[in-house]
Amino acid sequence: FQFFLDFMRQTMLLSDWRFGVGKNASSVKYYLIPSMLGKSKEDNFLCPYDCAVALFEFPIGLPIGVFERLVCVLISNDSLNVNGEPILSCDSLAVSFLHDPGTSETEGPDLKLYQEASDRLVLYARAAHASKYLNIINAMLFKIKAELLGEMFAYSVQVEKYNPVENGMKVENSKRQLNEIDLIDYESAESEEQCTIWFTHQLAGINT
């Protein structure tokens, strides 16, 4: 059994589950296998106006297991300071993080990732930290490519032209659909005034 656990961890298909275990944490171990989760009950994933959107597209399709591996790497990385229990299904993840003292906290998840189609992943991220979260997902995709899938694994990224003033004026708690969002290729976005939120952390390796 231990061999199976170690193999699943090594291939990023299983992660230790440390959320909501309470007093049993020292005696009982819990594990997450994302592929065994049910589908999300949401028909349409709507993005809050205080979140910005990034779209990952995979020209030959999203390989089976990539989304599950993203989930495992993200929630098991101690350096990310996951705050509270993530909300999970086999095609979506919503998670919040502990922020530095003095930064404002917001309701709802900081990051939401879901598989929108067989060749697309969508990231919703709090605008104040959008660049950081985009960099996190990209680094994880690089890790999967380098350690498991090799050079055949390629993808491109588009990011939202996000206007914080305009979006801040929207009705509170209102949301928008993906087809309502103005997207631009990441490589072309740096010169766009409305894309500065994506470049606090520099992203590398797009379209490789």
Side-chain angles (χ1 to χ4, degrees):
F1 181 69
Q2 187 61 47
F3 170 80
F4 171 77
L5 291 178
D6 292 342
F7 175 78
M8 293 287 282
R9 281 196 198 94
Q10 183 65 29
T11 54
M12 307 178 209
L13 292 173
L14 170 150
S15 65
D16 297 278
W17 184 260
R18 61 183 186 276
F19 308 100
V21 296
K23 297 179 180 179
N24 292 327
S26 59
S27 59
V28 180
K29 293 184 178 180
Y30 296 85
Y31 304 97
L32 170 67
I33 303 176
S35 61
M36 298 183 68
L37 297 170
K39 282 188 171 292
S40 171
K41 295 180 180 180
E42 296 185 56
D43 293 328
N44 294 304
F45 286 82
L46 302 177
C47 179
Y49 276 98
D50 61 349
C51 288
V53 175
L55 175 67
F56 296 81
E57 293 190 295
F58 302 82
I60 61 173
L62 183 64
I64 294 173
V66 168
F67 180 81
E68 292 83 352
R69 288 179 168 99
L70 283 174
V71 170
C72 286
V73 175
L74 198 153
I75 69 169
S76 64
N77 191 326
D78 292 334
S79 66
L80 297 182
N81 294 320
V82 174
N83 182 27
E85 186 169 326
I87 301 171
L88 289 161
S89 69
C90 68
D91 56 359
S92 70
L93 164 69
V95 64
S96 295
F97 301 104
L98 291 172
H99 297 291
D100 296 331
T103 59
S104 60
E105 298 291 336
T106 55
E107 293 184 2
D110 293 310
L111 179 156
K112 191 168 186 177
L113 184 70
Y114 77 95
Q115 186 170 342
E116 194 266 340
S118 61
D119 60 351
R120 302 205 295 181
L121 290 177
V122 180
L123 168 68
Y124 295 161
R126 293 288 175 189
H129 305 283
S131 177
K132 174 182 177 180
Y133 298 148
L134 178 62
N135 209 41
I136 287 170
I137 299 302
N138 187 67
M140 291 177 180
L141 288 171
F142 256 61
K143 177 180 175 69
I144 291 169
K145 175 178 180 176
E147 297 185 8
L148 295 169
L149 299 180
E151 294 303 319
M152 292 296 292
F153 181 60
Y155 63 95
S156 61
V157 179
Q158 296 179 66
V159 294
E160 178 182 5
K161 290 184 178 180
Y162 186 85
N163 186 327
V165 176
E166 178 182 328
N167 283 28
M169 296 172 63
K170 302 294 182 181
V171 178
E172 186 176 0
N173 295 326
S174 62
K175 298 181 180 181
R176 59 237 168 92
Q177 296 185 6
L178 183 61
N179 60 12
E180 300 173 325
I181 295 168
D182 188 11
L183 297 169
I184 184 174
D185 288 339
Y186 181 86
E187 292 182 335
S188 304
E190 191 165 11
S191 60
E192 294 282 338
E193 184 177 350
Q194 291 180 312
C195 294
T196 55
I197 64 167
W198 298 106
F199 292 92
T200 304
H201 294 74
Q202 193 63 37
L203 206 62
I206 297 301
N207 281 325
T208 59

